[in-house]
Amino acid sequence: MSLYTPESFHSRDRAAAEQLIADYPFATLITSVADQAPCISHLPLLREGELLYGHMARANPHWQQFAAGRTLAVFQGPHAYVSPRWYPVPQKHVPTWNYAVVHVGGQPELLDEEASEAAVMQLSLHFDPQFMAAPARLAQLLPGIVAFRLPMTQLEIKFKMSQNRTPPERAALQAQLLASREPLARATGQWMKDHG
């Protein structure tokens, strides 16, 4: 993996990374195979210990590349625009973006029928606890999907939250974000407060 991460934005906070994965489970899954365009799918992934679980449509050719390439799951947490106007001395700064991301690299493993059924049920229960597919209905759905687990072999954590700025500058930015009408901006301000 090669996420550009200046030292001031590099985090070793594994608990915060796992919380980001839990709070923002809709991931971008990328599998790179030499001399081919990468396969990219957008799907929810749930963490269980050191494994991520997910599934995709069997018609999606992405899963067929798992064995031949390298796979990366990208989880994007809160993010927001940062205006130079928000600094105590605006003319010394440029527009930027604050964000939190976690990249997980590993080799996906396809699940057998029994494990696939359990993974699908776990995802369903997580996102729609009221939904309980009848066993017959679940049996109809399973042939159309491919379930997998992704061991969390590599982990890169980047929290770009203005750590390279002075405490007064960070406080000014955080206040602007927390006061925003935009939910993601407020979430970013809260992330700065909690993980800065």
Side-chain angles (χ1 to χ4, degrees):
M1 297 193 304
S2 58
L3 175 63
Y4 170 65
T5 310
E7 187 55 35
S8 56
F9 305 140
H10 180 248
S11 176
R12 292 168 182 81
D13 190 342
R14 176 71 181 235
E18 290 175 355
Q19 190 61 55
L20 185 147
I21 291 170
D23 292 344
Y24 299 88
F26 192 68
T28 301
L29 193 72
I30 305 162
T31 300
S32 297
V33 179
D35 301 323
Q36 294 183 32
C39 291
I40 303 170
S41 296
H42 303 276
L43 67 173
L45 296 173
L46 293 182
R47 187 182 69 83
E48 189 175 295
E50 292 299 306
L51 298 168
L52 297 172
Y53 285 88
H55 66 267
M56 62 180 64
R58 187 169 297 278
N60 182 345
H62 189 158
W63 65 271
Q64 297 172 1
Q65 300 301 320
F66 284 164
R70 298 178 61 223
T71 296
L72 178 71
V74 177
F75 295 89
Q76 183 172 291
H79 58 91
Y81 173 74
V82 174
S83 173
R85 297 179 293 106
W86 300 347
Y87 290 93
V89 185
Q91 62 272 21
K92 292 174 62 177
H93 298 280
V94 298
T96 191
W97 208 272
N98 276 3
Y99 58 91
V101 293
V102 174
H103 289 193
V104 177
Q107 185 68 47
E109 303 163 359
L110 301 181
L111 301 180
D112 63 22
E113 187 175 334
E114 183 178 339
S116 293
E117 182 176 338
V120 170
M121 286 305 297
Q122 185 68 18
L123 281 160
S124 296
L125 289 171
H126 181 82
F127 293 106
D128 190 359
Q130 308 294 327
F131 173 79
M132 285 299 290
R137 177 66 178 136
L138 191 55
Q140 290 175 329
L141 297 173
L142 284 175
I145 66 152
V146 173
F148 63 92
R149 65 180 166 227
L150 177 68
M152 296 173 64
T153 306
Q154 296 175 292
L155 187 71
E156 290 182 323
I157 308 167
K158 182 176 183 179
F159 300 155
K160 182 186 176 293
M161 294 289 167
S162 302
Q163 299 96 317
N164 57 337
R165 301 298 171 209
T166 66
E169 290 171 334
R170 284 178 51 78
L173 299 180
Q174 183 179 303
Q176 288 287 335
L177 290 166
L178 287 171
S180 174
R181 285 184 255 164
E182 296 295 324
L184 267 177
R186 288 194 307 275
T188 304
Q190 190 63 47
W191 192 274
M192 287 180 72
K193 185 176 180 180
D194 295 342
H195 304 284

